[in-house]
PDB file of all heavy atoms in Angstrom:
ATOM      1  N   PRO A  26       3.881  -3.900   9.748  1.00  0.00           N
ATOM      2  CA  PRO A  26       5.252  -4.459   9.520  1.00  0.00           C
ATOM      3  C   PRO A  26       5.246  -5.946   9.137  1.00  0.00           C
ATOM      4  O   PRO A  26       5.870  -6.291   8.120  1.00  0.00           O
ATOM      5  CB  PRO A  26       5.954  -4.160  10.833  1.00  0.00           C
ATOM      6  CG  PRO A  26       5.281  -2.919  11.355  1.00  0.00           C
ATOM      7  CD  PRO A  26       3.835  -3.113  10.987  1.00  0.00           C
ATOM      8  N   PRO A  27       4.591  -6.826   9.901  1.00  0.00           N
ATOM      9  CA  PRO A  27       4.601  -8.235   9.452  1.00  0.00           C
ATOM     10  C   PRO A  27       4.006  -8.438   8.063  1.00  0.00           C
ATOM     11  O   PRO A  27       4.518  -9.239   7.260  1.00  0.00           O
ATOM     12  CB  PRO A  27       3.833  -8.998  10.524  1.00  0.00           C
ATOM     13  CG  PRO A  27       3.123  -7.970  11.311  1.00  0.00           C
ATOM     14  CD  PRO A  27       3.876  -6.703  11.181  1.00  0.00           C
ATOM     15  N   MET A  28       2.936  -7.717   7.776  1.00  0.00           N
ATOM     16  CA  MET A  28       2.285  -7.904   6.483  1.00  0.00           C
ATOM     17  C   MET A  28       3.210  -7.448   5.331  1.00  0.00           C
ATOM     18  O   MET A  28       3.417  -8.211   4.361  1.00  0.00           O
ATOM     19  CB  MET A  28       1.007  -7.050   6.455  1.00  0.00           C
ATOM     20  CG  MET A  28       0.248  -7.081   5.144  1.00  0.00           C
ATOM     21  SD  MET A  28      -1.417  -6.364   5.306  1.00  0.00           S
ATOM     22  CE  MET A  28      -1.052  -4.614   5.356  1.00  0.00           C
ATOM     23  N   HIS A  29       3.807  -6.256   5.430  1.00  0.00           N
ATOM     24  CA  HIS A  29       4.638  -5.787   4.332  1.00  0.00           C
ATOM     25  C   HIS A  29       5.959  -6.562   4.239  1.00  0.00           C
ATOM     26  O   HIS A  29       6.446  -6.809   3.135  1.00  0.00           O
ATOM     27  CB  HIS A  29       4.908  -4.280   4.473  1.00  0.00           C
ATOM     28  CG  HIS A  29       3.764  -3.450   4.039  1.00  0.00           C
ATOM     29  ND1 HIS A  29       3.475  -3.229   2.703  1.00  0.00           N
ATOM     30  CD2 HIS A  29       2.786  -2.817   4.731  1.00  0.00           C
ATOM     31  CE1 HIS A  29       2.383  -2.468   2.604  1.00  0.00           C
ATOM     32  NE2 HIS A  29       1.943  -2.213   3.811  1.00  0.00           N
ATOM     33  N   ASN A  30       6.520  -6.958   5.410  1.00  0.00           N
ATOM     34  CA  ASN A  30       7.785  -7.720   5.323  1.00  0.00           C
ATOM     35  C   ASN A  30       7.556  -9.071   4.679  1.00  0.00           C
ATOM     36  O   ASN A  30       8.430  -9.566   3.933  1.00  0.00           O
ATOM     37  CB  ASN A  30       8.425  -7.838   6.711  1.00  0.00           C
ATOM     38  CG  ASN A  30       9.102  -6.522   7.116  1.00  0.00           C
ATOM     39  OD1 ASN A  30       9.866  -5.966   6.340  1.00  0.00           O
ATOM     40  ND2 ASN A  30       8.786  -6.032   8.322  1.00  0.00           N
ATOM     41  N   ALA A  31       6.402  -9.692   4.915  1.00  0.00           N
ATOM     42  CA  ALA A  31       6.096 -10.963   4.247  1.00  0.00           C
ATOM     43  C   ALA A  31       5.972 -10.764   2.736  1.00  0.00           C
ATOM     44  O   ALA A  31       6.465 -11.556   1.947  1.00  0.00           O
ATOM     45  CB  ALA A  31       4.813 -11.553   4.816  1.00  0.00           C
ATOM     46  N   TRP A  32       5.313  -9.657   2.329  1.00  0.00           N
ATOM     47  CA  TRP A  32       5.171  -9.380   0.897  1.00  0.00           C
ATOM     48  C   TRP A  32       6.540  -9.058   0.261  1.00  0.00           C
ATOM     49  O   TRP A  32       6.820  -9.499  -0.866  1.00  0.00           O
ATOM     50  CB  TRP A  32       4.236  -8.195   0.677  1.00  0.00           C
ATOM     51  CG  TRP A  32       2.773  -8.523   0.859  1.00  0.00           C
ATOM     52  CD1 TRP A  32       2.189  -9.742   0.737  1.00  0.00           C
ATOM     53  CD2 TRP A  32       1.717  -7.576   1.159  1.00  0.00           C
ATOM     54  NE1 TRP A  32       0.834  -9.655   0.973  1.00  0.00           N
ATOM     55  CE2 TRP A  32       0.521  -8.333   1.222  1.00  0.00           C
ATOM     56  CE3 TRP A  32       1.666  -6.227   1.393  1.00  0.00           C
ATOM     57  CZ2 TRP A  32      -0.739  -7.735   1.486  1.00  0.00           C
ATOM     58  CZ3 TRP A  32       0.428  -5.638   1.663  1.00  0.00           C
ATOM     59  CH2 TRP A  32      -0.760  -6.381   1.710  1.00  0.00           C
ATOM     60  N   LEU A  33       7.393  -8.335   0.981  1.00  0.00           N
ATOM     61  CA  LEU A  33       8.725  -8.006   0.447  1.00  0.00           C
ATOM     62  C   LEU A  33       9.531  -9.280   0.256  1.00  0.00           C
ATOM     63  O   LEU A  33      10.195  -9.456  -0.799  1.00  0.00           O
ATOM     64  CB  LEU A  33       9.463  -7.062   1.423  1.00  0.00           C
ATOM     65  CG  LEU A  33       8.922  -5.627   1.479  1.00  0.00           C
ATOM     66  CD1 LEU A  33       9.505  -4.865   2.647  1.00  0.00           C
ATOM     67  CD2 LEU A  33       9.218  -4.889   0.155  1.00  0.00           C
ATOM     68  N   ALA A  34       9.451 -10.170   1.242  1.00  0.00           N
ATOM     69  CA  ALA A  34      10.211 -11.445   1.133  1.00  0.00           C
ATOM     70  C   ALA A  34       9.687 -12.256  -0.053  1.00  0.00           C
ATOM     71  O   ALA A  34      10.494 -12.787  -0.851  1.00  0.00           O
ATOM     72  CB  ALA A  34      10.083 -12.219   2.446  1.00  0.00           C
ATOM     73  N   ALA A  35       8.355 -12.328  -0.191  1.00  0.00           N
ATOM     74  CA  ALA A  35       7.796 -13.142  -1.267  1.00  0.00           C
ATOM     75  C   ALA A  35       8.166 -12.575  -2.647  1.00  0.00           C
ATOM     76  O   ALA A  35       8.364 -13.321  -3.597  1.00  0.00           O
ATOM     77  CB  ALA A  35       6.270 -13.163  -1.127  1.00  0.00           C
ATOM     78  N   ALA A  36       8.285 -11.239  -2.723  1.00  0.00           N
ATOM     79  CA  ALA A  36       8.636 -10.623  -4.017  1.00  0.00           C
ATOM     80  C   ALA A  36      10.141 -10.524  -4.225  1.00  0.00           C
ATOM     81  O   ALA A  36      10.593 -10.077  -5.300  1.00  0.00           O
ATOM     82  CB  ALA A  36       7.999  -9.223  -4.109  1.00  0.00           C
ATOM     83  N   GLY A  37      10.933 -10.916  -3.235  1.00  0.00           N
ATOM     84  CA  GLY A  37      12.397 -10.837  -3.322  1.00  0.00           C
ATOM     85  C   GLY A  37      12.927  -9.426  -3.481  1.00  0.00           C
ATOM     86  O   GLY A  37      13.898  -9.184  -4.183  1.00  0.00           O
ATOM     87  N   ILE A  38      12.222  -8.475  -2.811  1.00  0.00           N
ATOM     88  CA  ILE A  38      12.648  -7.042  -2.890  1.00  0.00           C
ATOM     89  C   ILE A  38      13.579  -6.691  -1.727  1.00  0.00           C
ATOM     90  O   ILE A  38      13.275  -7.078  -0.571  1.00  0.00           O
ATOM     91  CB  ILE A  38      11.389  -6.128  -2.867  1.00  0.00           C
ATOM     92  CG1 ILE A  38      10.529  -6.385  -4.136  1.00  0.00           C
ATOM     93  CG2 ILE A  38      11.769  -4.657  -2.786  1.00  0.00           C
ATOM     94  CD1 ILE A  38       9.169  -5.727  -4.098  1.00  0.00           C
ATOM     95  N   ASP A  39      14.694  -6.026  -2.032  1.00  0.00           N
ATOM     96  CA  ASP A  39      15.655  -5.665  -0.988  1.00  0.00           C
ATOM     97  C   ASP A  39      15.177  -4.420  -0.255  1.00  0.00           C
ATOM     98  O   ASP A  39      15.586  -3.288  -0.543  1.00  0.00           O
ATOM     99  CB  ASP A  39      17.042  -5.420  -1.642  1.00  0.00           C
ATOM    100  CG  ASP A  39      18.116  -5.148  -0.598  1.00  0.00           C
ATOM    101  OD1 ASP A  39      17.857  -5.430   0.598  1.00  0.00           O
ATOM    102  OD2 ASP A  39      19.174  -4.624  -0.990  1.00  0.00           O
TER     103      ASP A  39
END
Side-chain angles (χ1 to χ4, degrees):
M28 177 169 76
H29 281 284
N30 283 311
W32 284 337
L33 289 168
I38 295 170
D39 184 16

